Amino acid sequence: MLRHVLLALARSERAERVLSSSPPAKALAERFVAADAAGAVADLTDQGLLVSVDYLGADVTDRARAEGSVQAYLALLAGLHAGADVSVRPTALGLRLSEQLALDNAATICEAAASRGVTVTLDAEEHDTVEALMSIHATLRKEHPGVGVVVQAYLREAAERCRRLEGARVRLCKGAYEAPEALRFGTAREVDRSFVRCLRILMNGSGYPVVATDDRRLIEITSALAVLSGREPSAYEHQLPRRVRPAERHRLTSLGLRVRVEVPYGPGWYPYLMRRLAEHPADLALALLPHR
């Protein structure tokens, strides 16, 4: 029930106007969203961690705003070093206006990223955008084979998506959007089982899995599947949220595993925060804790 409430709040403009200015929401935002992306990236890089920078732009409704999103990504890329990753939401590039527009804008970002040795990951969003997302990804891979894409385990089609993405860089997450009951799993246990099915497919494939969860049990399952599939530590990575479970980051890196930390920033932080809380309701407690 709490998940559905939080996802409804994520979509409500009225709730955003009220909650985005409230002290508790701002305190939580500071936990997850970087006020200074460049500083956060530098700090994490100094710690020997990889980064994935996520520009939180809003869905665009005209071409000028889509171009604005492209320019924001180009400015971001200018300050990133080789090995970094950027997450790109197709709706911020004009997907709701035209798939071709989003594809062209994504291609511009991919070309700029490639020149700096930075990878691009297309981020999954609402269920009705997934087909277009996969189409854009398939087209971009022809010129940019390293471009990644997100698969959300809460959708019933997730395992089949992973099979069809053989050889690709795939970021697997649980997912934090709504969908009709026929298209999604209904319980947390079902989502976890879907996550493990997807993990098994990705670990036994020839692509590059990015395991985006801070669920300790799923992290342990990832390690077991990597051993069983004979996958070297350099052939996959964990992705963890910023300022969440730093001890787990240290534990994984001490084992010689690749760890990438998500660095979200930008004006569209409110819906991101609500979706984050919907996926991890326990994070609400962080509003009561001092910064570490």
Side-chain angles (χ1 to χ4, degrees):
M1 179 61 72
L2 180 57
R3 170 186 167 87
H4 295 302
V5 170
L6 290 168
L7 289 176
L9 290 174
R11 297 190 301 272
S12 170
E13 293 183 2
R14 181 179 180 183
E16 180 173 358
R17 286 194 299 271
V18 174
L19 294 176
S20 62
S21 60
S22 69
K26 290 182 177 179
L28 276 170
E30 290 174 1
R31 293 284 180 177
F32 301 107
V33 181
D36 175 13
V41 167
D43 179 58
L44 292 165
T45 302
D46 288 345
Q47 296 176 46
L49 296 162
L50 301 168
V51 295
S52 179
V53 189
D54 186 357
Y55 174 70
L56 304 176
D59 290 4
V60 303
T61 55
D62 58 65
R63 289 177 177 267
R65 292 182 66 188
E67 177 59 25
S69 294
V70 174
Q71 293 305 313
Y73 275 107
L74 296 181
L76 167 64
L77 287 166
L80 295 179
H81 298 291
D85 179 74
V86 293
S87 288
V88 177
R89 288 178 168 79
T91 57
L93 304 182
L95 180 59
R96 295 292 187 187
L97 297 170
S98 160
E99 181 177 325
Q100 186 63 49
L101 174 63
L103 170 61
D104 292 342
N105 285 336
T108 297
I109 294 169
C110 284
E111 289 166 6
S115 70
R116 299 193 62 83
V118 174
T119 55
V120 174
T121 300
L122 300 180
D123 216 342
E125 302 176 275
E126 301 285 354
H127 70 93
D128 63 335
T129 68
V130 172
E131 288 298 331
L133 170 75
M134 294 299 169
S135 174
I136 291 171
H137 177 254
T139 301
L140 288 174
R141 276 186 75 191
K142 296 174 184 177
E143 295 293 331
H144 306 280
V147 66
V149 69
V150 172
V151 171
Q152 301 176 100
Y154 88 103
L155 293 173
R156 292 185 181 276
E157 64 180 5
E160 180 57 31
R161 289 286 180 196
C162 289
R163 292 188 186 94
R164 290 165 58 182
L165 288 164
E166 168 63 22
R169 184 165 57 85
V170 177
R171 182 195 298 163
L172 178 64
C173 68
K174 291 187 180 183
Y177 289 91
E178 282 284 22
E181 290 186 12
L183 301 180
R184 62 174 171 82
F185 292 107
T187 68
R189 178 174 293 182
E190 288 177 320
V191 174
D192 284 355
R193 288 175 176 171
S194 172
F195 195 100
V196 174
R197 284 194 295 272
C198 291
L199 261 181
R200 187 173 291 112
I201 293 166
L202 296 174
M203 285 294 184
N204 287 315
S206 61
Y208 184 81
V210 179
V211 186
T213 181
D214 60 351
D215 185 320
R216 181 64 179 270
R217 188 169 60 88
L218 293 177
I219 289 173
E220 294 296 336
I221 291 173
T222 298
S223 296
L225 290 175
V227 171
L228 290 172
S229 65
R231 188 172 284 268
E232 295 294 326
S234 60
Y236 71 101
E237 67 186 46
H238 293 274
Q239 182 165 311
L240 299 173
R242 178 174 171 265
R243 284 186 172 166
V244 173
R245 302 189 68 181
E248 184 67 2
R249 296 203 303 254
H250 178 74
R251 185 185 74 86
L252 293 171
T253 54
S254 70
L255 294 173
L257 300 175
R258 291 168 62 85
V259 177
R260 191 176 297 274
V261 178
E262 179 188 12
V263 182
Y265 82 103
W269 64 266
Y270 170 81
Y272 166 85
L273 177 62
M274 292 299 110
R275 290 193 299 269
R276 166 74 200 178
L277 295 176
E279 188 174 355
H280 303 275
D283 288 342
L284 284 165
L286 290 176
L288 306 176
L289 298 174
H291 282 290
R292 289 175 292 181

